[in-house]
Structure formats: structure tokens, C-alpha cells
Amino acid sequence: MIARFPRPDPKPNPLGLELSLHSEESRIEHEESLAWIRWIFQSIRARRESIVFRTAATNREGVLADWQDFAVQVWYPALAPGLLHAWKAAHAEDLEGLLAAGAELGTTLPEDARESSAAAGELLLKATHGAKYPGVLGRLRQALTQEPIDPHLAMVWASVANLFHVPPLDVLAEYLREEWLTALREHPQLHEPQGPLCFSAMAHRALREAGMMGVSMQG
């Protein structure tokens, strides 16, 4: 059983509600919504040894070295741009753009990463099946039954994030959190990375490089 993020109870399942994480929302509302998101992600951690990030190290120094390699080789050149492309498309309810983001990931990720990303995306699709207000997620789900495009986790997560009105900074940071937790679920004593390799720093840098600093759900 994965117990890192126990199922939260404070409010009804937000897959049946239209929630917002706008800047005027309270910190408590924000944290409750992120708790739901992390709970939904547990289906991936329960069934996958890793998503894209992998490490065979068991000590912090080795893991952080592998995490830095992941950042330089995969995150900044491929995953972060793909996530932001998918987020913008999902936010605009642009199904074709969302599918294009998935196709782009299929060409930029290494083969083993493509397969693992698609498997994780399929798990997230299953975990969110039956959402009351599926929006672009429902349209993506239907399109993927007809299009020869892998359901990469980034495109599915961007669609789920659209249901929760999650801003791009959290979209990136929560994705990174799942990469880390999934790869290190057997080593929970290894704390999250700090400094330039922490989730928020890597998310901020990706936003800067994409020219999207300060972008919110408004507009």
C-alpha cells in the first residue's frame, strides 16, 4: 500500500467539481487541491518502478548525481517543453495541440523513456476515468482510442491539471515530484533534492526558458 499521500477527506472529490487554484484562493484551498492530485498520482507509484527518471544508487550523492543527469539530458530539453506545450493546449481546450504535444514527446524522448512515459500515462487515464466534468481530458481519452499516439504522462497530466485549474508552475513541480517519488519509493528516507535541483527551482527555470514566468490560469 502506498501511504505517502493518504486520501484527503476535507471536501468532495474534485473530479466532480470545478476547482480553481487562482492566486486569490486561500493557501488551504491550494494545499487541499494538491493533496487530491497527489492522491490520484498514487496509482502510478503503486504500479511503476519508475517513470522516466531512473537511478540504481542508494545513497543521496549517487541519487542526486543521477537526478542532475535527468535534469540536463531529459527534463530541460524534452519533458519540460513537452509539458508546457501540453498545458497550453489543454488550457486552450485545443485537442489537436494536445495530441501534437504527445507526438512531439514521442520523437524527443529516448525509446525506453517513451515506453515508460506512455505506461504511466495510461495508469493516470485509468485513475481519472469517470470524471464528472472531463473536458479536454475526456476528448483526449476518446482520441487516443483512434490515434496512433502514445498516452504520454505529460499530456494526460496536463489534461488532468486543466480540470483542477492548476497553473504551469505547479504542473511542472508536481510532475517532478512524481518522477522522484516513483523512482525512490523503496528509499523513502532519501529526502527531496534541494537548491537548483529541487522541484520548484527546476520548474522555475523551465518556465523562464519557455518565456512563461508569471503565467497563471487567468487570461
Side-chain angles (χ1 to χ4, degrees):
M1 175 180 292
I2 304 299
R4 186 180 297 273
F5 297 115
R7 178 172 179 167
D9 294 325
K11 59 172 65 181
N13 186 337
L15 287 177
L17 299 173
E18 295 200 59
L19 300 181
S20 173
L21 297 183
H22 292 170
S23 58
E24 67 269 16
E25 295 290 332
S26 70
R27 181 68 179 175
I28 293 175
E29 182 80 6
H30 187 184
E31 290 301 321
E32 288 180 355
S33 298
L34 288 182
W36 271 108
I37 290 166
R38 293 168 185 175
W39 177 71
I40 291 169
F41 269 124
Q42 286 187 109
S43 61
I44 296 174
R45 292 198 298 280
R47 295 171 175 83
R48 299 292 305 172
E49 293 184 359
S50 64
I51 303 173
V52 173
F53 170 58
R54 295 177 174 86
T55 180
T58 57
N59 61 76
R60 185 167 179 78
E61 292 76 15
V63 171
L64 288 178
D66 290 339
W67 182 251
Q68 183 169 17
D69 288 344
F70 162 77
V72 172
Q73 298 171 11
V74 181
W75 173 249
Y76 292 116
L79 274 176
L83 265 167
L84 291 173
H85 183 180
W87 179 86
K88 288 188 284 187
H91 183 43
E93 300 288 327
D94 177 10
L95 177 62
E96 292 304 315
L98 193 55
L99 292 172
E104 181 181 0
L105 282 166
T107 63
T108 57
L109 290 175
E111 183 177 355
D112 59 340
R114 288 199 302 270
E115 294 174 357
S116 186
S117 173
E122 185 67 37
L123 288 172
L124 187 57
L125 275 177
K126 292 178 180 177
T128 55
H129 183 72
K132 188 174 181 181
Y133 302 108
V136 73
L137 175 63
R139 294 167 57 209
L140 174 65
R141 190 188 307 276
Q142 182 177 8
L144 287 172
T145 66
Q146 304 168 353
E147 300 278 350
I149 297 175
D150 291 328
H152 288 290
L153 178 60
M155 60 195 297
V156 180
W157 163 223
S159 304
V160 173
N162 188 59
L163 286 178
F164 287 85
H165 294 224
V166 180
L169 179 62
D170 281 332
V171 169
L172 296 172
E174 290 304 312
Y175 180 95
L176 286 168
R177 184 185 306 277
E178 290 312 306
E179 287 277 7
W180 177 271
L181 292 177
T182 302
L184 296 177
R185 66 177 185 172
E186 300 300 326
H187 303 285
Q189 74 278 8
L190 293 176
H191 299 297
E192 296 176 359
Q194 302 298 316
L197 292 177
C198 77
F199 309 141
S200 61
M202 290 172 64
H204 274 100
R205 175 179 163 182
L207 286 175
R208 287 195 302 272
E209 292 182 355
M212 290 179 62
M213 282 299 296
V215 175
S216 72
M217 290 300 304
Q218 297 175 330

